[in-house]
Amino acid sequence: EVQLVESGGGLVKPGGSLRLSCAASGFTFTNTWMNWVRQAPGKGLEWIGRIRSNVDGGTTDYGTPLKDRITISRDDSKNMLYLQMDSLETEDTAVYYCTTGFSRGYWGQGTLVTVSS
Amino acid sequence: QTVVTQEPSLTVSPGGTVTLTCASSTGAVTSGCYPDWFQQKPGQAPMTLIYSTSNKHSWTPARFSGSLLGGKAALTLSGAQPEDEAEYYCLLNCAGTWAFGGGTKLTVL
């Protein structure tokens, strides 16, 4: 069974940093491109970025709103995906989802990040 | 920055057919935009229904289909069921980065 389990969310003050993690199981993580997507309360989905498999270079692409404040990385030895977020703003409050590449189609249940003083 | 536009809301009768569309501010949506479609019910994570225009996952009900229609990506639901009431999002990559549409709230009534 494919599982994506996000963790690391919580309450952080504006200007702070947070690293989210996504534990993957049930599929060959090494060969899989991965995405991060977020959803602010009551709002739509927003693509944050993706990381290619290391076989395909392990490079990243980032969406516009966050591109200067985030880093996506992966540790294939642990089947883990990460999202490092810096200089957080109140507008970054959202549920953060990790997903496989959309041709695979799997989503985690998300982790809530609240940015508030 | 690409703006992706969907109908804000649509209503379909049980057993009826409805088409949701997805337009790009960059121009006509083609297969090269790799349109994907997602369903999200309240309180749940999204679920991928369609990828790369028309491909279904093993869990995608047969009544859903994806296509290109009049320069837009389209998701057609044939034989709507009450459990299809949900928010539907499209995702496009027409200009190098992915962008979601604002979502269509589908009511089955």
Side-chain angles (χ1 to χ4, degrees):
Chain A
E1 179 194 5
V2 171
Q3 282 199 307
L4 295 170
V5 180
E6 301 92 339
S7 61
L11 178 62
V12 60
K13 289 182 166 47
S17 297
L18 207 58
R19 188 176 86 153
L20 305 183
S21 301
C22 172
S25 61
F27 64 99
T28 306
F29 181 77
T30 302
N31 296 340
T32 303
W33 297 24
M34 299 292 295
N35 296 277
W36 285 99
V37 174
R38 72 178 181 180
Q39 187 170 36
K43 302 296 185 183
L45 301 174
E46 182 176 33
W47 182 76
I48 295 172
R50 72 171 175 189
I51 186 167
R52 296 171 178 79
S53 65
N54 283 325
V55 170
D56 292 317
T59 51
T60 53
D61 299 301
Y62 297 124
T64 303
L66 287 162
K67 64 185 303 182
D68 297 327
R69 299 188 288 119
I70 62 167
T71 302
I72 296 175
S73 61
R74 63 192 299 156
D75 184 340
D76 288 354
S77 69
K78 298 179 180 177
N79 284 4
M80 293 292 293
L81 176 72
Y82 303 103
L83 174 64
Q84 175 71 39
M85 300 187 290
D86 301 314
S87 303
L88 284 163
E89 305 168 353
T90 56
E91 293 76 18
D92 297 320
T93 293
V95 174
Y96 286 74
Y97 297 99
C98 71
T99 87
T100 61
F102 299 114
S103 61
R104 290 280 190 106
Y106 297 106
W107 291 65
Q109 285 303 303
T111 186
L112 176 62
V113 173
T114 302
V115 184
S116 174
S117 55
Chain B
Q1 184 177 350
T2 303
V3 176
V4 179
T5 302
Q6 300 181 242
E7 298 88 357
S9 63
L10 290 170
T11 300
V12 61
S13 301
T17 296
V18 64
T19 297
L20 290 65
T21 67
C22 176
S24 172
S25 61
T26 62
V29 176
T30 67
S31 59
C33 298
Y34 305 99
D36 302 319
W37 290 92
F38 307 88
Q39 178 193 67
Q40 187 178 34
K41 297 181 179 180
Q44 296 184 15
M47 179 178 72
T48 310
L49 289 175
I50 301 288
Y51 66 95
S52 296
T53 306
S54 58
N55 296 283
K56 299 180 185 182
H57 288 287
S58 59
W59 55 79
T60 304
R63 59 186 179 274
F64 289 96
S65 62
S67 64
L68 297 175
L69 195 64
K72 300 179 183 181
L75 176 70
T76 299
L77 171 59
S78 303
Q81 302 297 310
E83 60 265 30
D84 298 328
E85 186 161 296
E87 193 85 22
Y88 292 82
Y89 295 93
C90 68
L91 177 67
L92 300 177
N93 185 350
C94 299
T97 61
W98 295 101
F100 281 98
T104 295
K105 181 174 175 57
L106 182 66
T107 301
V108 181
L109 188 61

